[in-house]
Amino acid sequence: MSPTPEPRRITMTPGARRALEAASRLFYEHGIHAVGVDLIAAEAGVTKKTLYDRFGSKDQLVVEYLAARDERWRAFLAERLEAVSPGPDDVRPPGVARVLAVFDASRAWMEANSPRGCSMVNAHAEIDDRGHPAYSVIAGQKRWMLELFTRLAREAEAGNGNGNGTKNGPRKADQLGRTLMLLHEGALVAHGLRIFPDALGEAREQARALLT
Protein backbone atom coordinates (compact mmCIF):
# COMPACT_ATOMS: atom_id res chain seq x y z
CA MET A 1 0.00 0.00 0.00
CA SER A 2 1.44 3.35 -1.00
CA PRO A 3 1.79 5.86 1.85
CA THR A 4 -0.76 8.65 2.03
CA PRO A 5 0.64 12.17 1.58
CA GLU A 6 1.37 14.31 4.61
CA PRO A 7 -1.47 16.75 5.31
CA ARG A 8 -1.00 20.48 5.00
CA ARG A 9 -0.70 22.22 8.38
CA ILE A 10 -1.16 25.88 9.29
CA THR A 11 0.68 28.28 11.58
CA MET A 12 -1.37 28.91 14.71
CA THR A 13 -2.31 32.40 15.89
CA PRO A 14 -4.01 32.97 19.28
CA GLY A 15 -7.38 33.18 17.56
CA ALA A 16 -6.71 30.01 15.62
CA ARG A 17 -5.72 28.20 18.80
CA ARG A 18 -8.97 29.21 20.49
CA ALA A 19 -10.93 27.98 17.50
CA LEU A 20 -9.00 24.71 17.42
CA GLU A 21 -9.51 24.09 21.13
CA ALA A 22 -13.25 24.60 20.75
CA ALA A 23 -13.43 22.51 17.58
CA SER A 24 -11.41 19.68 19.13
CA ARG A 25 -13.72 19.43 22.12
CA LEU A 26 -16.86 19.62 20.00
CA PHE A 27 -15.65 17.16 17.35
CA TYR A 28 -14.71 14.58 19.96
CA GLU A 29 -17.86 14.96 22.06
CA HIS A 30 -20.44 15.25 19.28
CA GLY A 31 -18.83 13.98 16.07
CA ILE A 32 -17.28 15.78 13.15
CA HIS A 33 -20.32 15.93 10.88
CA ALA A 34 -22.65 17.04 13.68
CA VAL A 35 -20.59 20.17 14.48
CA GLY A 36 -20.88 23.20 12.26
CA VAL A 37 -18.63 26.18 11.77
CA ASP A 38 -21.17 28.52 13.39
CA LEU A 39 -21.04 26.56 16.65
CA ILE A 40 -17.24 26.40 16.64
CA ALA A 41 -16.96 30.15 16.10
CA ALA A 42 -19.47 30.86 18.87
CA GLU A 43 -17.73 28.52 21.33
CA ALA A 44 -14.32 30.00 20.52
CA GLY A 45 -15.51 33.61 20.72
CA VAL A 46 -14.34 34.40 17.20
CA THR A 47 -16.17 35.34 14.02
CA LYS A 48 -16.75 32.93 11.17
CA LYS A 49 -14.62 35.21 9.03
CA THR A 50 -11.71 34.83 11.45
CA LEU A 51 -12.13 31.08 11.41
CA TYR A 52 -12.12 30.88 7.62
CA ASP A 53 -9.26 33.37 7.39
CA ARG A 54 -7.14 31.15 9.65
CA PHE A 55 -8.15 27.67 8.47
CA GLY A 56 -9.72 28.14 5.07
CA SER A 57 -12.27 25.37 5.62
CA LYS A 58 -13.82 23.06 8.17
CA ASP A 59 -11.80 20.22 6.65
CA GLN A 60 -8.58 21.95 7.69
CA LEU A 61 -9.92 22.30 11.22
CA VAL A 62 -10.48 18.53 11.24
CA VAL A 63 -6.90 17.98 10.04
CA GLU A 64 -5.52 20.17 12.83
CA TYR A 65 -7.75 18.51 15.45
CA LEU A 66 -6.63 14.99 14.56
CA ALA A 67 -3.00 15.89 13.93
CA ALA A 68 -2.72 17.64 17.29
CA ARG A 69 -4.17 14.62 19.11
CA ASP A 70 -1.80 12.35 17.23
CA GLU A 71 1.20 14.48 18.20
CA ARG A 72 0.17 14.47 21.87
CA TRP A 73 -0.36 10.71 21.86
CA ARG A 74 3.03 10.01 20.28
CA ALA A 75 4.77 12.23 22.84
CA PHE A 76 2.81 10.63 25.68
CA LEU A 77 3.75 7.15 24.50
CA ALA A 78 7.40 8.04 23.88
CA GLU A 79 7.81 9.17 27.49
CA ARG A 80 6.47 5.88 28.78
CA LEU A 81 8.53 3.74 26.46
CA GLU A 82 11.68 5.62 27.43
CA ALA A 83 10.86 5.01 31.09
CA VAL A 84 10.70 1.22 30.69
CA SER A 85 13.46 -0.23 32.81
CA PRO A 86 12.91 -3.84 33.89
CA GLY A 87 13.85 -4.49 37.50
CA PRO A 88 16.46 -7.03 38.59
CA ASP A 89 13.83 -9.73 39.06
CA ASP A 90 12.21 -9.12 35.66
CA VAL A 91 13.17 -12.00 33.39
CA ARG A 92 11.28 -10.63 30.40
CA PRO A 93 13.30 -9.34 27.45
CA PRO A 94 13.19 -5.52 27.15
CA GLY A 95 11.07 -5.82 24.00
CA VAL A 96 8.34 -7.63 25.94
CA ALA A 97 8.32 -4.98 28.67
CA ARG A 98 8.06 -2.27 26.02
CA VAL A 99 5.14 -3.96 24.29
CA LEU A 100 3.28 -4.17 27.58
CA ALA A 101 4.13 -0.51 28.22
CA VAL A 102 2.24 0.42 25.05
CA PHE A 103 -0.92 -1.17 26.44
CA ASP A 104 -0.36 0.50 29.82
CA ALA A 105 0.12 3.86 28.12
CA SER A 106 -3.02 3.38 26.02
CA ARG A 107 -5.06 2.55 29.11
CA ALA A 108 -3.81 5.68 30.90
CA TRP A 109 -4.37 7.84 27.80
CA MET A 110 -7.89 6.57 27.20
CA GLU A 111 -8.91 7.05 30.83
CA ALA A 112 -7.57 10.62 30.84
CA ASN A 113 -8.33 11.80 27.30
CA SER A 114 -10.66 9.46 25.44
CA PRO A 115 -13.74 8.35 27.39
CA ARG A 116 -15.65 8.02 24.12
CA GLY A 117 -13.04 5.82 22.46
CA CYS A 118 -10.17 6.38 20.07
CA SER A 119 -10.50 9.69 18.23
CA MET A 120 -8.95 8.20 15.08
CA VAL A 121 -11.34 5.25 15.03
CA ASN A 122 -14.27 7.58 15.67
CA ALA A 123 -13.14 9.95 12.93
CA HIS A 124 -12.72 7.10 10.45
CA ALA A 125 -16.35 6.12 11.05
CA GLU A 126 -17.21 9.52 9.56
CA ILE A 127 -14.33 9.95 7.11
CA ASP A 128 -13.64 6.99 4.84
CA ASP A 129 -12.84 9.00 1.72
CA ARG A 130 -9.13 8.68 0.97
CA GLY A 131 -9.30 12.05 -0.75
CA HIS A 132 -10.29 13.86 2.46
CA PRO A 133 -7.31 15.81 3.80
CA ALA A 134 -7.75 14.29 7.28
CA TYR A 135 -7.67 10.71 6.02
CA SER A 136 -3.87 10.68 5.90
CA VAL A 137 -3.74 11.68 9.58
CA ILE A 138 -5.99 8.78 10.58
CA ALA A 139 -4.24 6.20 8.41
CA GLY A 140 -0.83 7.60 9.28
CA GLN A 141 -1.29 7.08 13.00
CA LYS A 142 -2.49 3.50 12.60
CA ARG A 143 0.35 2.72 10.19
CA TRP A 144 2.80 4.18 12.72
CA MET A 145 1.33 2.01 15.47
CA LEU A 146 1.73 -1.11 13.32
CA GLU A 147 5.35 -0.20 12.62
CA LEU A 148 5.92 0.33 16.35
CA PHE A 149 4.41 -3.02 17.32
CA THR A 150 6.41 -4.77 14.60
CA ARG A 151 9.64 -3.18 15.79
CA LEU A 152 8.92 -4.11 19.41
CA ALA A 153 7.97 -7.64 18.34
CA ARG A 154 11.39 -7.99 16.70
CA GLU A 155 13.04 -6.82 19.92
CA ALA A 156 11.00 -9.31 21.93
CA GLU A 157 11.77 -12.19 19.55
CA ALA A 158 15.47 -11.38 19.56
CA GLY A 159 15.49 -11.18 23.36
CA ASN A 160 13.73 -14.52 23.59
CA GLY A 161 16.35 -16.08 21.35
CA ASN A 162 13.74 -16.58 18.63
CA GLY A 163 14.14 -15.18 15.17
CA ASN A 164 17.67 -13.90 15.61
CA GLY A 165 19.55 -15.16 12.60
CA THR A 166 16.84 -17.62 11.57
CA LYS A 167 15.13 -17.73 8.22
CA ASN A 168 11.61 -17.23 9.60
CA GLY A 169 12.52 -14.67 12.26
CA PRO A 170 11.55 -11.44 10.45
CA ARG A 171 8.38 -13.02 9.10
CA LYS A 172 7.39 -14.25 12.55
CA ALA A 173 8.01 -10.80 14.05
CA ASP A 174 5.90 -9.19 11.32
CA GLN A 175 3.04 -11.57 12.07
CA LEU A 176 3.42 -10.95 15.79
CA GLY A 177 3.35 -7.20 15.22
CA ARG A 178 0.07 -7.51 13.32
CA THR A 179 -1.43 -9.66 16.07
CA LEU A 180 -0.42 -7.14 18.73
CA MET A 181 -1.92 -4.35 16.62
CA LEU A 182 -5.20 -6.27 16.33
CA LEU A 183 -5.29 -6.81 20.10
CA HIS A 184 -4.62 -3.12 20.71
CA GLU A 185 -7.12 -1.75 18.21
CA GLY A 186 -9.84 -4.18 19.29
CA ALA A 187 -9.31 -3.08 22.87
CA LEU A 188 -9.63 0.58 21.89
CA VAL A 189 -12.99 -0.10 20.25
CA ALA A 190 -14.19 -2.21 23.20
CA HIS A 191 -13.12 0.56 25.58
CA GLY A 192 -15.17 3.13 23.67
CA LEU A 193 -18.22 0.88 23.59
CA ARG A 194 -17.87 -0.06 27.30
CA ILE A 195 -18.69 -3.67 26.45
CA PHE A 196 -16.75 -4.93 29.47
CA PRO A 197 -14.47 -3.25 32.01
CA ASP A 198 -10.77 -2.66 31.41
CA ALA A 199 -10.57 -3.84 27.80
CA LEU A 200 -7.00 -2.58 27.48
CA GLY A 201 -5.96 -4.40 30.63
CA GLU A 202 -7.44 -7.60 29.20
CA ALA A 203 -5.63 -7.02 25.90
CA ARG A 204 -2.39 -6.45 27.82
CA GLU A 205 -2.71 -9.82 29.50
CA GLN A 206 -3.38 -11.49 26.16
CA ALA A 207 -0.30 -9.78 24.73
CA ARG A 208 1.80 -10.91 27.69
CA ALA A 209 0.65 -14.51 27.24
CA LEU A 210 1.39 -14.32 23.52
CA LEU A 211 4.91 -12.99 24.11
CA THR A 212 5.92 -15.23 26.99
Side-chain angles (χ1 to χ4, degrees), residues 109-134:
W109 171 270
M110 296 295 280
E111 289 174 352
N113 301 286
S114 301
R116 297 175 181 271
C118 173
S119 57
M120 299 297 164
V121 172
N122 294 350
H124 187 258
E126 299 188 76
I127 301 170
D128 61 359
D129 177 9
R130 291 176 178 269
H132 192 288

mmCIF file of all heavy atoms in Angstrom, residues 109-134:
data_model
loop_
_atom_site.group_PDB
_atom_site.id
_atom_site.type_symbol
_atom_site.label_atom_id
_atom_site.label_comp_id
_atom_site.label_asym_id
_atom_site.label_seq_id
_atom_site.Cartn_x
_atom_site.Cartn_y
_atom_site.Cartn_z
ATOM 1 N N TRP A 109 -3.941 6.787 28.735
ATOM 2 C CA TRP A 109 -4.371 7.838 27.803
ATOM 3 C C TRP A 109 -5.888 7.822 27.626
ATOM 4 O O TRP A 109 -6.538 8.869 27.664
ATOM 5 C CB TRP A 109 -3.676 7.647 26.458
ATOM 6 C CG TRP A 109 -4.191 8.537 25.373
ATOM 7 C CD1 TRP A 109 -5.206 8.277 24.496
ATOM 8 C CD2 TRP A 109 -3.727 9.857 25.049
ATOM 9 N NE1 TRP A 109 -5.390 9.341 23.645
ATOM 10 C CE2 TRP A 109 -4.506 10.316 23.964
ATOM 11 C CE3 TRP A 109 -2.721 10.673 25.564
ATOM 12 C CZ2 TRP A 109 -4.298 11.570 23.387
ATOM 13 C CZ3 TRP A 109 -2.521 11.930 24.992
ATOM 14 C CH2 TRP A 109 -3.308 12.366 23.911
ATOM 15 N N MET A 110 -6.455 6.659 27.436
ATOM 16 C CA MET A 110 -7.891 6.569 27.205
ATOM 17 C C MET A 110 -8.676 7.018 28.428
ATOM 18 O O MET A 110 -9.680 7.715 28.304
ATOM 19 C CB MET A 110 -8.268 5.135 26.828
ATOM 20 C CG MET A 110 -7.663 4.650 25.517
ATOM 21 S SD MET A 110 -8.240 5.537 24.057
ATOM 22 C CE MET A 110 -9.814 4.730 23.788
ATOM 23 N N GLU A 111 -8.205 6.644 29.605
ATOM 24 C CA GLU A 111 -8.907 7.052 30.830
ATOM 25 C C GLU A 111 -8.846 8.556 31.024
ATOM 26 O O GLU A 111 -9.812 9.163 31.511
ATOM 27 C CB GLU A 111 -8.298 6.335 32.028
ATOM 28 C CG GLU A 111 -8.623 4.842 32.072
ATOM 29 C CD GLU A 111 -7.893 4.115 33.182
ATOM 30 O OE1 GLU A 111 -7.013 4.740 33.832
ATOM 31 O OE2 GLU A 111 -8.184 2.926 33.409
ATOM 32 N N ALA A 112 -7.739 9.183 30.628
ATOM 33 C CA ALA A 112 -7.566 10.621 30.842
ATOM 34 C C ALA A 112 -8.115 11.470 29.706
ATOM 35 O O ALA A 112 -8.586 12.586 29.933
ATOM 36 C CB ALA A 112 -6.085 10.941 31.045
ATOM 37 N N ASN A 113 -8.058 10.949 28.465
ATOM 38 C CA ASN A 113 -8.334 11.803 27.299
ATOM 39 C C ASN A 113 -9.419 11.302 26.361
ATOM 40 O O ASN A 113 -9.876 12.070 25.517
ATOM 41 C CB ASN A 113 -7.049 11.975 26.470
ATOM 42 C CG ASN A 113 -5.918 12.590 27.259
ATOM 43 O OD1 ASN A 113 -5.920 13.776 27.546
ATOM 44 N ND2 ASN A 113 -4.938 11.767 27.633
ATOM 45 N N SER A 114 -9.792 10.033 26.465
ATOM 46 C CA SER A 114 -10.664 9.464 25.441
ATOM 47 C C SER A 114 -11.779 8.597 26.013
ATOM 48 O O SER A 114 -11.856 7.399 25.708
ATOM 49 C CB SER A 114 -9.817 8.649 24.452
ATOM 50 O OG SER A 114 -8.832 9.457 23.839
ATOM 51 N N PRO A 115 -12.664 9.166 26.823
ATOM 52 C CA PRO A 115 -13.743 8.352 27.390
ATOM 53 C C PRO A 115 -14.705 7.811 26.337
ATOM 54 O O PRO A 115 -15.384 6.809 26.577
ATOM 55 C CB PRO A 115 -14.456 9.325 28.341
ATOM 56 C CG PRO A 115 -14.151 10.682 27.788
ATOM 57 C CD PRO A 115 -12.763 10.572 27.255
ATOM 58 N N ARG A 116 -14.749 8.453 25.185
ATOM 59 C CA ARG A 116 -15.653 8.016 24.119
ATOM 60 C C ARG A 116 -14.963 7.134 23.083
ATOM 61 O O ARG A 116 -15.523 6.870 22.024
ATOM 62 C CB ARG A 116 -16.277 9.236 23.422
ATOM 63 C CG ARG A 116 -17.149 10.083 24.323
ATOM 64 C CD ARG A 116 -17.651 11.330 23.622
ATOM 65 N NE ARG A 116 -18.464 12.152 24.501
ATOM 66 C CZ ARG A 116 -19.773 12.034 24.659
ATOM 67 N NH1 ARG A 116 -20.424 11.111 23.971
ATOM 68 N NH2 ARG A 116 -20.428 12.813 25.478
ATOM 69 N N GLY A 117 -13.756 6.688 23.389
ATOM 70 C CA GLY A 117 -13.041 5.823 22.461
ATOM 71 C C GLY A 117 -11.970 6.570 21.696
ATOM 72 O O GLY A 117 -11.768 7.774 21.859
ATOM 73 N N CYS A 118 -11.279 5.829 20.842
ATOM 74 C CA CYS A 118 -10.166 6.378 20.070
ATOM 75 C C CYS A 118 -10.658 7.430 19.084
ATOM 76 O O CYS A 118 -11.556 7.180 18.272
ATOM 77 C CB CYS A 118 -9.468 5.235 19.321
ATOM 78 S SG CYS A 118 -8.198 5.770 18.164
ATOM 79 N N SER A 119 -10.065 8.603 19.121
ATOM 80 C CA SER A 119 -10.499 9.690 18.233
ATOM 81 C C SER A 119 -10.270 9.340 16.768
ATOM 82 O O SER A 119 -11.048 9.756 15.901
ATOM 83 C CB SER A 119 -9.764 10.984 18.590
ATOM 84 O OG SER A 119 -8.364 10.805 18.507
ATOM 85 N N MET A 120 -9.218 8.575 16.475
ATOM 86 C CA MET A 120 -8.948 8.202 15.082
ATOM 87 C C MET A 120 -9.984 7.200 14.583
ATOM 88 O O MET A 120 -10.471 7.305 13.453
ATOM 89 C CB MET A 120 -7.537 7.618 14.949
ATOM 90 C CG MET A 120 -6.432 8.563 15.344
ATOM 91 S SD MET A 120 -6.349 10.035 14.273
ATOM 92 C CE MET A 120 -5.312 11.092 15.301
ATOM 93 N N VAL A 121 -10.311 6.224 15.407
ATOM 94 C CA VAL A 121 -11.336 5.252 15.026
ATOM 95 C C VAL A 121 -12.675 5.957 14.854
ATOM 96 O O VAL A 121 -13.412 5.718 13.881
ATOM 97 C CB VAL A 121 -11.446 4.138 16.087
ATOM 98 C CG1 VAL A 121 -12.646 3.239 15.807
ATOM 99 C CG2 VAL A 121 -10.164 3.305 16.111
ATOM 100 N N ASN A 122 -13.008 6.835 15.774
ATOM 101 C CA ASN A 122 -14.270 7.576 15.673
ATOM 102 C C ASN A 122 -14.303 8.432 14.418
ATOM 103 O O ASN A 122 -15.328 8.501 13.727
ATOM 104 C CB ASN A 122 -14.456 8.461 16.908
ATOM 105 C CG ASN A 122 -14.634 7.657 18.187
ATOM 106 O OD1 ASN A 122 -14.803 6.441 18.152
ATOM 107 N ND2 ASN A 122 -14.570 8.329 19.321
ATOM 108 N N ALA A 123 -13.188 9.090 14.121
ATOM 109 C CA ALA A 123 -13.141 9.946 12.933
ATOM 110 C C ALA A 123 -13.264 9.115 11.658
ATOM 111 O O ALA A 123 -13.925 9.523 10.701
ATOM 112 C CB ALA A 123 -11.839 10.750 12.916
ATOM 113 N N HIS A 124 -12.645 7.935 11.650
ATOM 114 C CA HIS A 124 -12.719 7.096 10.451
ATOM 115 C C HIS A 124 -14.139 6.620 10.188
ATOM 116 O O HIS A 124 -14.514 6.371 9.030
ATOM 117 C CB HIS A 124 -11.783 5.902 10.573
ATOM 118 C CG HIS A 124 -11.687 5.099 9.312
ATOM 119 N ND1 HIS A 124 -12.343 3.896 9.134
ATOM 120 C CD2 HIS A 124 -11.026 5.342 8.151
ATOM 121 C CE1 HIS A 124 -12.087 3.440 7.928
ATOM 122 N NE2 HIS A 124 -11.296 4.284 7.306
ATOM 123 N N ALA A 125 -14.943 6.497 11.245
ATOM 124 C CA ALA A 125 -16.347 6.122 11.052
ATOM 125 C C ALA A 125 -17.091 7.189 10.255
ATOM 126 O O ALA A 125 -18.100 6.893 9.605
ATOM 127 C CB ALA A 125 -17.031 5.914 12.404
ATOM 128 N N GLU A 126 -16.586 8.419 10.289
ATOM 129 C CA GLU A 126 -17.213 9.516 9.558
ATOM 130 C C GLU A 126 -16.456 9.893 8.293
ATOM 131 O O GLU A 126 -17.023 10.502 7.380
ATOM 132 C CB GLU A 126 -17.309 10.751 10.463
ATOM 133 C CG GLU A 126 -18.144 10.545 11.712
ATOM 134 C CD GLU A 126 -18.365 11.854 12.446
ATOM 135 O OE1 GLU A 126 -19.205 12.652 11.982
ATOM 136 O OE2 GLU A 126 -17.695 12.085 13.467
ATOM 137 N N ILE A 127 -15.177 9.559 8.249
ATOM 138 C CA ILE A 127 -14.333 9.946 7.107
ATOM 139 C C ILE A 127 -13.678 8.692 6.548
ATOM 140 O O ILE A 127 -12.686 8.198 7.089
ATOM 141 C CB ILE A 127 -13.238 10.950 7.524
ATOM 142 C CG1 ILE A 127 -13.862 12.210 8.107
ATOM 143 C CG2 ILE A 127 -12.334 11.295 6.345
ATOM 144 C CD1 ILE A 127 -12.850 13.149 8.755
ATOM 145 N N ASP A 128 -14.250 8.146 5.484
ATOM 146 C CA ASP A 128 -13.636 6.987 4.841
ATOM 147 C C ASP A 128 -13.177 7.298 3.420
ATOM 148 O O ASP A 128 -12.732 6.411 2.691
ATOM 149 C CB ASP A 128 -14.586 5.791 4.851
ATOM 150 C CG ASP A 128 -15.884 6.061 4.106
ATOM 151 O OD1 ASP A 128 -16.051 7.188 3.589
ATOM 152 O OD2 ASP A 128 -16.723 5.150 4.039
ATOM 153 N N ASP A 129 -13.279 8.558 3.041
ATOM 154 C CA ASP A 129 -12.844 9.004 1.722
ATOM 155 C C ASP A 129 -11.342 9.270 1.752
ATOM 156 O O ASP A 129 -10.873 10.153 2.473
ATOM 157 C CB ASP A 129 -13.602 10.276 1.342
ATOM 158 C CG ASP A 129 -13.152 10.859 0.005
ATOM 159 O OD1 ASP A 129 -12.374 10.186 -0.715
ATOM 160 O OD2 ASP A 129 -13.574 11.984 -0.315
ATOM 161 N N ARG A 130 -10.571 8.505 0.978
ATOM 162 C CA ARG A 130 -9.127 8.682 0.970
ATOM 163 C C ARG A 130 -8.708 10.054 0.441
ATOM 164 O O ARG A 130 -7.583 10.482 0.664
ATOM 165 C CB ARG A 130 -8.467 7.589 0.126
ATOM 166 C CG ARG A 130 -8.550 6.213 0.756
ATOM 167 C CD ARG A 130 -7.975 5.143 -0.156
ATOM 168 N NE ARG A 130 -8.013 3.838 0.491
ATOM 169 C CZ ARG A 130 -7.032 3.348 1.229
ATOM 170 N NH1 ARG A 130 -5.920 4.050 1.392
ATOM 171 N NH2 ARG A 130 -7.135 2.159 1.781
ATOM 172 N N GLY A 131 -9.618 10.729 -0.247
ATOM 173 C CA GLY A 131 -9.303 12.053 -0.754
ATOM 174 C C GLY A 131 -9.491 13.165 0.269
ATOM 175 O O GLY A 131 -9.068 14.294 0.046
ATOM 176 N N HIS A 132 -10.103 12.851 1.409
ATOM 177 C CA HIS A 132 -10.294 13.860 2.457
ATOM 178 C C HIS A 132 -8.939 14.182 3.070
ATOM 179 O O HIS A 132 -8.146 13.278 3.346
ATOM 180 C CB HIS A 132 -11.247 13.333 3.532
ATOM 181 C CG HIS A 132 -11.722 14.380 4.489
ATOM 182 N ND1 HIS A 132 -10.909 14.936 5.462
ATOM 183 C CD2 HIS A 132 -12.941 14.965 4.634
ATOM 184 C CE1 HIS A 132 -11.590 15.820 6.146
ATOM 185 N NE2 HIS A 132 -12.832 15.854 5.674
ATOM 186 N N PRO A 133 -8.642 15.459 3.289
ATOM 187 C CA PRO A 133 -7.311 15.812 3.802
ATOM 188 C C PRO A 133 -6.991 15.231 5.172
ATOM 189 O O PRO A 133 -5.817 15.096 5.526
ATOM 190 C CB PRO A 133 -7.349 17.346 3.852
ATOM 191 C CG PRO A 133 -8.797 17.721 3.816
ATOM 192 C CD PRO A 133 -9.464 16.651 3.015
ATOM 193 N N ALA A 134 -8.001 14.864 5.949
ATOM 194 C CA ALA A 134 -7.745 14.290 7.279
ATOM 195 C C ALA A 134 -7.511 12.782 7.227
ATOM 196 O O ALA A 134 -7.050 12.202 8.211
ATOM 197 C CB ALA A 134 -8.907 14.594 8.222
#
